[in-house]
Amino acid sequence: MSERPNGLTYAQAGVDIDAGTALVEAIKPLAKATRRPGADAALGGFGALFDLKAAGFVDPLLVSTTDGVGTKLKIAIETGRHDTVGIDLVGMCVNDLLAQGAEPLMFLDYFATGKLDVVAATAVVKGIAEGCKQAGAALVGGETAEMPGMYAGGDYDLAGFSIGAVERGAVLPRLDDQKAGDLLIGIGSDGPHSNGYSLVRRVVERSGLGWNDAAPFAPGQTLGEALMTPTRIYVKSVLPLIKAGLIKGGAHITGGGLIENPPRAIAEGLEPQFDWNAWPLPPVFAWMQEVGGLSDHELRRTFNCGVGFMLIVAAEDAEPVLAALLNAGENAFVCGQLIQP
């Protein structure tokens, strides 16, 4: 091929291929650390393979989920704290798998930015790898897209994709088994997780506080640190209960909060009746409600309000389920029951 004088290059157009290559090399050890039976988590191919037989499945169904982190990323970018949003990304996907009764197997990510900052991107992927380890999933690949003109400067967006499996007879929810009187067990959240952050940011704006100011609801933390607390991943504490056949349904409490998420796991003709006094409203939500003047309904349909995951169990199974969750380090409590309206 002939050289052309004054010819344009991809770098001049704003895309640094060398930076992309450097990022891949930086994250290879992070992906390798997430190896699990069925996947070696090697990067560099055009696709990822998974051996379901090696993972111990007999007659499995595959379950797939996808999600993002939303405008919580704005806080990460403005504070320069990029190391936990990857955990959020994984948590939003694998907790959804869990609600179907599935074990997370593989995870892939999509990272899009205006100008690739290898240090920041590596921190993001480090968080993704940590989330995968918490979930028992292999980080098997992803895509990095540098798109000048689409994103401003160092702004970036994330999308995650997870694949899990569940034995054919163990899919949740078990709608035919549910009945009035079944109990709802709430598992505590670690804050807003990754939902409602457009409203969170408006509340912070109204408060007049900056990200480096002390958090009124979290002693010893700045406001930015407290609001960047990542999504709690419930796989290791809940999956054994699902495999033991103790769970009739599960709901990951995300956007839509406690108003819209639980009905997705409940049989037709039944509805949840919450005891709103069964657990204290965590300080972060109480602070946002006061500063933002949020109604109870608005709070409950936007945020998890302290319940990151909800289980449906038979009344006679509530005690062993609670004991197992508490033993696994969760804050778990009966938060209501199913009723026939």
Side-chain angles (χ1 to χ4, degrees), residues 43-61:
L43 299 182
F46 289 96
L49 302 177
F50 193 93
D51 187 342
L52 287 166
K53 187 175 180 180
F57 287 92
V58 178
D59 184 23
L61 295 172

Side-chain angles (χ1 to χ4, degrees), residues 200-216:
V200 170
R201 289 165 51 243
R202 288 294 298 273
V203 170
V204 170
E205 182 181 326
R206 177 175 287 192
S207 76
L209 296 174
W211 301 126
N212 291 323
D213 291 329

Side-chain angles (χ1 to χ4, degrees), residues 154-205:
D155 284 357
Y156 61 87
D157 198 7
L158 297 174
F161 312 88
S162 56
I163 298 174
V166 56
E167 295 292 357
R168 193 173 300 271
V171 176
L172 293 182
R174 288 159 35 198
L175 299 177
D176 292 341
D177 289 345
Q178 294 177 9
K179 64 180 187 296
D182 285 344
L183 297 182
L184 310 178
I185 292 180
I187 310 178
S189 68
D190 284 343
H193 286 179
S194 299
N195 299 106
Y197 270 79
S198 294
L199 181 54
V200 170
R201 289 165 51 243
R202 288 294 298 273
V203 170
V204 170
E205 182 181 326

